[in-house]
């Protein structure tokens, strides 16, 4: 079996199939309203999606990094860390609280 990448007007489908016709059949069975735009056999047995290609880059102000830095500066004091987070990011109290508390749970 080979790994096929099938691009339709609405989806990108990755599927195992014996040949292109079987790969097209998987798409038609699961997405009957889609039109196949492109199909290609992948050269390896795995498929990698680049987060940068999808626009999922982490910017310089990654909320987790900032929250953990604020917790470290506040020496674990939640209220002080929330104030620091608000100052660093410009977020309101509710957003800052959520960011700090979620990172406290993760074990900063």
């Amino acid at each position: 079996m080979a790994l096929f990448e099938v691009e339709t007007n609405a989806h990108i489908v990755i599927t195992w199939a014996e040949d292109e016709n079987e790969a097209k059949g998987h798409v038609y069975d699961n997405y009957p309203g889609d039109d196949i735009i492109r199909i290609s056999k992948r050269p390896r047995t795995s498929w990698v999606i680049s987060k940068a290609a999808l626009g999922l880059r982490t910017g310089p102000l990654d909320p987790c990094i900032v929250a953990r830095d604020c917790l470290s500066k506040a020496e674990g004091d939640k209220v002080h860390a929330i104030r620091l987070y608000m100052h660093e990011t410009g977020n309101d109290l509710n957003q800052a609280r959520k960011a700090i508390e979620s990172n406290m749970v993760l074990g900063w």
Side-chain angles (χ1 to χ4, degrees):
M1 284 205 158
L3 191 63
F4 286 90
E5 173 186 345
V6 185
E7 182 179 354
T8 72
N9 57 317
H11 300 92
I12 296 176
V13 179
I14 309 303
T15 186
W16 290 101
E18 291 294 334
D19 55 26
E20 277 191 24
N21 289 332
E22 186 178 339
K24 288 178 185 178
H26 289 301
V27 173
Y28 290 136
D29 290 344
N30 293 296
Y31 304 99
D34 285 11
D35 296 321
I36 294 178
I37 298 171
R38 179 181 57 83
I39 186 167
S40 61
K41 185 176 178 181
R42 302 304 300 169
R44 295 187 170 83
T45 59
S46 61
W47 200 72
V48 178
I49 300 171
S50 168
K51 287 184 174 183
L54 296 174
L56 301 175
R57 298 179 194 174
T58 55
L61 280 180
D62 183 1
C64 287
I65 293 171
V66 174
R68 290 178 181 169
D69 185 48
C70 291
L71 280 161
S72 180
K73 288 177 185 174
E75 297 177 347
D77 180 355
K78 179 177 140 180
V79 174
H80 186 54
I82 290 170
R83 286 188 193 120
L84 288 170
Y85 189 86
M86 289 170 58
H87 177 72
E88 294 280 331
T89 63
N91 286 337
D92 66 13
L93 177 63
N94 193 38
Q95 292 171 325
R97 182 188 57 78
K98 286 179 183 178
I100 295 298
E101 287 178 351
S102 64
N103 278 280
M104 288 179 82
V105 171
L106 294 173
W108 62 275

